[in-house]
Amino acid sequence: MIKIALGAGHYINTEGKRCLKSLDPKETREWWLNDRICDYVEQRLKNYSGYQLLRLDDSDDGKDDIALSTRVNKANTWGADFYLSVHHNAGINGGSGGGIVAYTHPDASKTSVEWRDALYAALIAHTGLKGNRATPKATGNYYVLRKTTMPAVLLELGFMDSKTDVPVILTDSYAQSCADAIVEVIVKRGALTKKAAAAATTSGRYNTMAQLPSYAKETIRKLVDAGAIAGGGKKDANGDPADMDLSHDMVRLLVINDRMGCYK
C-alpha cells in the first residue's frame, strides 16, 4: 500500500499567480490549472487499488490559503511514501518557449530522482510539451522539497506567460494528458492493481453520482432531484442517472453557479 500526498500549488488568490492577460484575457489562475490536474489524478486513481491518497490543498474552491508548513506537516505526520506538488511556471514574459520542468531537492534521495525522471519522461510522452529549458529535470531548494521526510517532486507543467505554452495548458485535454502521465507512473512505481470493475471515469467525464468528486455531489444531487440533469435515460441501482456525461469543467461550473445562489 503506497501513500501518496498530492497538492495543487498555491490558492486561487495568490498574488501574481495567473496567466498573462495578453495571452489569456481571463487571466486564468494558477491554482485552477493545478487543481484541475490534481482532480483528474484523484479521479483516475479510483480505478486502482493498493494506494491511499491525501490531498494537501483546498481542493474544493481554492479560497483557503493552506500554508506550506501545514501541507508538509500533514504529509510527514501521515507517513506519506511520496509527495507530489503540482504547479505551473512563469518567467518568459510573453515570449516563446517554455515547457515542463520537474524538480527535486539538490540533496534529494535516489528514489526522489527516480520519481522525478519517470514523471518527466511520462509527461513529455503524453503531452509533447518539451519546451526549451536547458535543465528540464532540475533541482530546487523549495520548501516542500526541503522539509518533507519522504521522496518528493515538484512539477511545473508549462509557462503561464509563454505564447507557446498558454494555448496548450489552458485546454482540458492537456490537463487530462498530464493526469494520465502522473497516474501511469504512480501505478507502475506503486505496483497498483486495476480494479475488476473500475469506474469509467478515465475519459474525464462523470456518468454517475458515485464518480463525482466529493465537493460536487451536493450540487449535482440538487440538480438531479430538480430534473435539471437527467442523462439519456439509464438509471443506476439507486434510481439516479447513470449516463449524465458531465465533463470536469462543466461540474466545476455548476458548483460555482450553485455557490453563487443560481439554483435556489
Side-chain angles (χ1 to χ4, degrees):
M1 179 72 69
I2 186 171
K3 300 173 77 173
I4 305 293
L6 176 66
H10 307 292
Y11 81 121
I12 201 162
N13 292 318
T14 303
E15 186 67 27
K17 300 297 184 179
R18 63 193 67 184
C19 290
L20 190 65
K21 189 172 185 178
S22 62
L23 301 175
D24 172 23
K26 295 180 179 179
E27 295 184 280
T28 302
R29 272 36 176 186
E30 181 186 346
W31 174 85
W32 191 89
L33 296 172
N34 301 338
D35 180 67
R36 178 170 62 170
I37 291 172
C38 288
D39 283 351
Y40 279 146
V41 169
E42 185 174 2
Q43 171 191 321
R44 283 154 165 73
L45 283 173
K46 290 179 181 178
N47 294 327
Y48 297 88
S49 58
Y51 77 97
Q52 291 180 320
L53 181 71
L54 175 66
R55 284 292 295 266
L56 301 168
D57 55 290
D58 175 15
S59 59
D60 287 342
D61 54 21
K63 291 182 179 179
D64 292 333
D65 187 7
I66 310 298
L68 296 181
S69 58
T70 300
R71 299 180 188 221
V72 166
N73 289 340
K74 284 178 67 175
N76 289 344
T77 301
W78 186 56
D81 297 303
F82 178 59
Y83 186 110
L84 181 62
S85 185
V86 174
H87 290 255
H88 286 73
N89 219 335
I92 291 179
N93 301 315
S96 59
I100 292 169
V101 182
Y103 288 92
T104 52
H105 189 266
D107 297 324
S109 66
K110 178 182 177 183
T111 304
S112 287
V113 172
E114 290 172 349
W115 273 103
R116 180 198 66 188
D117 292 355
L119 284 164
Y120 179 78
L123 285 161
I124 298 305
H126 279 267
T127 70
L129 198 66
K130 189 172 184 179
N132 63 351
R133 300 298 91 184
T135 312
K137 292 182 286 187
T139 59
N141 191 28
Y142 297 114
Y143 187 93
V144 298
L145 302 180
R146 185 173 70 251
K147 294 294 186 178
T148 41
T149 57
M150 72 291 300
V153 172
L154 185 149
L155 296 174
E156 296 279 10
L157 297 173
F159 282 74
M160 299 180 293
D161 57 354
S162 161
K163 64 183 180 182
T164 305
D165 288 5
V166 167
V168 175
I169 66 177
L170 289 177
T171 65
D172 189 68
S173 60
Y174 176 76
Q176 292 196 44
S177 293
C178 287
D180 288 339
I182 291 168
V183 170
E184 178 182 288
V185 174
I186 292 174
V187 168
K188 184 175 181 179
R189 292 189 59 85
L192 306 191
T193 303
K194 191 155 191 177
K195 294 177 180 177
T201 59
T202 54
S203 66
R205 307 189 77 85
Y206 303 99
N207 286 309
T208 68
M209 292 295 296
Q211 293 172 354
L212 291 165
S214 58
Y215 72 84
K217 288 185 177 180
E218 182 179 351
T219 294
I220 304 304
R221 165 57 60 199
K222 181 188 299 185
L223 294 172
V224 166
D225 290 347
I229 295 177
K234 293 182 180 179
K235 301 292 183 181
D236 64 15
N238 298 316
D240 291 323
D243 54 355
M244 293 187 287
D245 193 31
L246 298 174
S247 71
H248 184 71
D249 284 351
M250 175 58 73
V251 167
R252 290 169 68 92
L253 178 61
L254 293 172
V255 170
I256 290 170
N257 287 344
D258 189 22
R259 290 174 179 173
M260 292 176 66
C262 296
Y263 306 137
K264 290 183 179 179

